[in-house]
């Protein structure tokens, strides 16, 4: 699969996500442990402050608040969390407002989930782990506060012990080496246990669905293959034919995750349909030398009309003598052009070549048989569209005609 390109705005969103998360981890620790235990906090806060300020400017320039739901609320979230809060009286406490940025984390998560619907289930698992991790961190700090209240100053070691207790409790392992000593601690422990059990319930209840839905496209493919296999057995298709059908579906799966391009883009409104067609067919358009000099209009027209077809090794695209209904462009793979009597290979055509134009142009049967050498991704252009395009674009017509003439001389 091709690696996805990361846009600058996605990269910036990731920076904000990381910054807000680190605030959610570091800030509560700083508030509880105090300045001496986290001496680097103000450096950290300055960096975060700068990042959030840049974000404020970025959002202002992109007018994000005007397009998002609840715009003014988001402005306040961005503004308050980016304010140099420590300059204010009560700055030590007001600094907590930086945590407001966590609202953006929630929003980013749902945006990413919407943009990556195909990974919905994986993201659900990842998000769940993220929130659990953060919750355990906060619960550990809570335990530290309760445990040390009025007894001693909270320390890093105390936090570590709190984290240990929290994980042991939340995961329902419960070694019992650290136990609640007074009423407040008992109540707190009950709360944490309830949180733990609910999480457990959620995981157990969802894990089966999550796992089966992890790769919906793959499951769909396997189901189809199973049905197909049963059908072919039932109708007693020859072994070789069965093998070729399976190979075809495996190829379609590998190349396109089993999706039928035409059906998917067929449901789009005309404007989007054209854009997506152009994008999907950009490879073949780039490969066909003639298209390089062709105008945008012609390319658009051809892109909309071309339909993808796949041929497996040894398949005949058509036989000599058949009437011609469409011509083909080769997007990937090779085909051989075989003379009418079947004795010689007249030519091998590869990516970027086209064939089948002679029958359409001259209105007579195919002069040769064309057969796929390996797997071939072709795009077909039917006669009606071909004639219309020829009539509207004389340069295209001239190019095709000269090619057909050249080829005809060899027969
Ligand atoms: P058509 O006659 O429709 O069907 C067979 C196709 O093979 C023909 O159009 C040409 O596109 C192609 N073809 C025929 N002869 C040659 C050749 N010598 N070289 C390349 N392609 C050819």
């Amino acid at each position: 699969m091709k690696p996805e390109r990361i846009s600058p705005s996605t990269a910036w969103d990731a920076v904000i996500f990381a910054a807000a998360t680190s605030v959610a981890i570091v800030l509560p620790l700083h508030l509880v442990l105090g300045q001496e235990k986290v001496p680097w906090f103000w450096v950290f806060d300055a960096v975060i402050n700068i990042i959030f300020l840049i974000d404020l400017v970025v959002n202002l320039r992109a007018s994000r608040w005007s397009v998002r739901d609840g715009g003014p609320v988001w402005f306040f979230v961005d503004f308050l969390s980016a304010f140099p809060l420590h300059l204010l009286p009560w700055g030590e406490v007001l600094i907590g407002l930086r945590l407001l940025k966590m609202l953006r984390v929630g929003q980013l998560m749902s945006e990413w989930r919407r943009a990556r619907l195909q990974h919905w289930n994986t993201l659900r698992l990842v998000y769940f782990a993220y929130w659990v991790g953060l919750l355990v961190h906060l619960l550990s700090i809570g335990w530290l506060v309760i445990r040390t209240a009025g007894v001693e100053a909270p320390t890093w070691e105390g936090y570590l012990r709190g984290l240990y207790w929290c994980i042991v409790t939340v995961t329902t392992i419960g070694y019992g080496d650290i136990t609640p000593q007074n009423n407040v601690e008992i109540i707190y422990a009950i709360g944490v246990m309830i949180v733990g059990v609910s999480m457990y319930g959620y995981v157990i209840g969802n894990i089966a669905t999550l796992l089966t839905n992890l790769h919906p496209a793959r499951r769909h493919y396997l189901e189809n293959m199973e049905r197909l296999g049963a059908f072919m057995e039932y109708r007693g298709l020859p072994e070789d034919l069965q093998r070729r059908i399976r190979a075809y579906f495996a190829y379609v799966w590998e190349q396109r995750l089993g999706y039928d391009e035409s059906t998917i883009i067929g449901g789009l409104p005309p404007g989007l349909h054209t854009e997506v067609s152009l994008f999907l067919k950009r490879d073949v358009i780039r490969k066909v030398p003639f298209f390089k000099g062709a105008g945008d209009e012609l390319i658009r027209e051809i892109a909309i009309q071309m339909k993808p077809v796949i041929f497996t090794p040894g398949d005949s695209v058509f036989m000599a003598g058949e009437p011609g209904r469409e011509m083909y462009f080769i997007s990937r793979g090779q085909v051989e052009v075989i003379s009418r009597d079947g004795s010689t290979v007249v030519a091998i055509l590869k990516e970027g070549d086209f064939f089948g134009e002679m029958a359409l142009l001259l209105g007579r049967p195919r002069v040769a048989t064309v057969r796929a050498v390996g797997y071939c991704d072709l795009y077909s252009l039917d006669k009606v569209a071909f004639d219309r395009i020829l009539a509207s674009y004389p340069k295209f017509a001239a190019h095709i005609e000269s090619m057909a003439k050249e080829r005809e001389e060899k027969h």
Side-chain angles (χ1 to χ4, degrees):
M1 237 180 274
K2 288 178 199 150
E4 287 178 47
R5 277 231 313 275
I6 296 175
S7 71
S9 76
T10 315
W12 181 248
D13 283 347
V15 170
I16 292 302
F17 181 87
T21 306
S22 55
V23 169
I25 295 170
V26 174
L27 188 60
L29 273 173
H30 162 78
L31 290 176
V32 171
L33 293 177
Q35 178 62 23
E36 322 81 73
K37 303 269 171 33
V38 197
W40 41 267
F41 178 77
W42 294 114
V43 179
F44 167 82
D45 190 57
V47 174
I48 293 292
N49 208 169
I50 291 169
I51 293 177
F52 286 1
L53 269 173
I54 296 175
D55 190 46
L56 190 72
V57 176
V58 168
N59 286 344
L60 201 64
R61 295 192 52 174
S63 324
R64 269 191 169 177
W65 301 303
S66 50
V67 291
R68 277 190 180 149
D69 289 345
V73 179
W74 286 111
F75 171 75
F76 275 108
V77 167
D78 286 338
F79 179 75
L80 286 178
S81 53
F83 203 81
L85 296 154
H86 58 278
L87 298 180
L88 299 177
W90 290 90
E92 275 275 327
V93 179
L94 281 179
I95 200 90
L97 284 174
R98 292 243 193 286
L99 286 172
L100 276 176
K101 205 69 174 180
M102 281 310 280
L103 291 172
R104 272 288 295 286
V105 166
Q107 194 195 34
L108 283 176
M109 280 181 163
S110 37
E111 261 174 36
W112 289 337
R113 191 149 61 182
R114 245 175 284 135
R116 301 265 177 287
L117 266 187
Q118 71 276 33
H119 304 304
W120 199 86
N121 283 295
T122 318
L123 284 181
R124 217 168 99 173
L125 272 181
V126 174
Y127 290 172
F128 179 71
Y130 173 91
W131 290 117
V132 167
L134 216 53
L135 184 67
V136 165
H137 170 67
L138 295 178
L139 288 174
S140 314
I141 295 179
W143 175 259
L144 175 67
V145 171
I146 294 174
R147 181 90 331 169
T148 52
V151 183
E152 53 179 347
T155 57
W156 280 102
E157 202 200 342
Y159 166 71
L160 190 65
R161 291 174 70 77
L163 188 62
Y164 165 78
W165 172 81
C166 209
I167 291 176
V168 163
T169 311
V170 163
T171 52
T172 72
I173 294 172
Y175 285 130
D177 48 352
I178 300 179
T179 47
Q181 303 297 334
N182 53 43
N183 288 346
V184 178
E185 288 186 6
I186 290 176
I187 293 170
Y188 191 76
I190 291 174
V192 174
M193 283 174 207
I194 291 174
V195 169
V197 166
S198 322
M199 263 161 29
Y200 231 68
Y202 177 83
V203 171
I204 304 281
N206 284 278
I207 207 83
T209 359
L210 282 177
L211 289 182
T212 37
N213 287 338
L214 221 40
H215 300 290
R218 183 170 185 82
R219 201 192 40 178
H220 183 67
Y221 164 71
L222 291 176
E223 273 169 15
N224 272 349
M225 290 302 270
E226 221 175 278
R227 252 204 332 252
L228 184 77
F231 165 78
M232 293 190 302
E233 285 290 316
Y234 174 64
R235 297 306 304 251
L237 256 58
E239 263 314 306
D240 182 53
L241 199 54
Q242 289 197 22
R243 194 185 46 73
R244 282 173 52 201
I245 293 174
R246 277 202 195 91
Y248 164 75
F249 279 112
Y251 179 76
V252 174
W253 162 255
E254 272 165 31
Q255 294 300 317
R256 304 183 183 159
L257 286 177
Y259 293 120
D260 177 9
E261 214 168 281
S262 318
T263 328
I264 290 186
I265 63 174
L268 295 174
L272 273 180
H273 183 267
T274 312
E275 261 185 64
V276 177
S277 290
L278 271 173
F279 179 79
L280 291 177
K281 292 160 192 170
R282 70 196 183 288
D283 275 348
V284 64
I285 289 174
R286 213 180 298 138
K287 283 174 204 157
V288 178
F290 169 73
F291 289 150
K292 281 203 185 86
D296 282 353
E297 289 243 333
L298 169 62
I299 290 184
R300 229 165 234 273
E301 181 84 26
I302 291 186
I304 299 170
Q305 301 297 342
M306 285 197 307
K307 307 259 175 328
V309 259
I310 292 175
F311 288 90
T312 57
D315 283 351
S316 299
V317 181
F318 50 68
M319 308 290 281
E322 281 179 11
R325 281 186 211 88
E326 58 265 302
M327 69 167 293
Y328 296 89
F329 295 90
I330 306 178
S331 166
R332 183 184 308 181
Q334 290 190 342
V335 298
E336 46 190 15
V337 181
I338 301 164
S339 63
R340 195 190 301 262
D341 57 12
S343 61
T344 38
V345 173
V346 187
I348 298 249
L349 303 177
K350 51 185 183 344
E351 285 183 2
D353 289 336
F354 59 79
F355 61 90
E357 78 293 357
M358 288 165 72
L360 301 194
L361 213 53
L362 309 169
R364 58 171 202 211
R366 304 285 193 198
V367 293
T369 296
V370 173
R371 194 188 297 147
V373 178
Y375 281 99
C376 279
D377 285 9
L378 309 179
Y379 279 100
S380 72
L381 188 67
D382 70 33
K383 183 159 167 48
V384 179
F386 178 81
D387 285 343
R388 207 182 47 236
I389 291 170
L390 236 54
S392 323
Y393 302 96
K395 255 175 88 183
F396 179 64
H399 176 77
I400 294 261
E401 272 161 20
S402 81
M403 198 73 168
K405 216 171 266 157
E406 207 177 286
R407 285 172 172 176
E408 194 177 18
E409 278 160 17
K410 295 185 188 157
H411 284 272

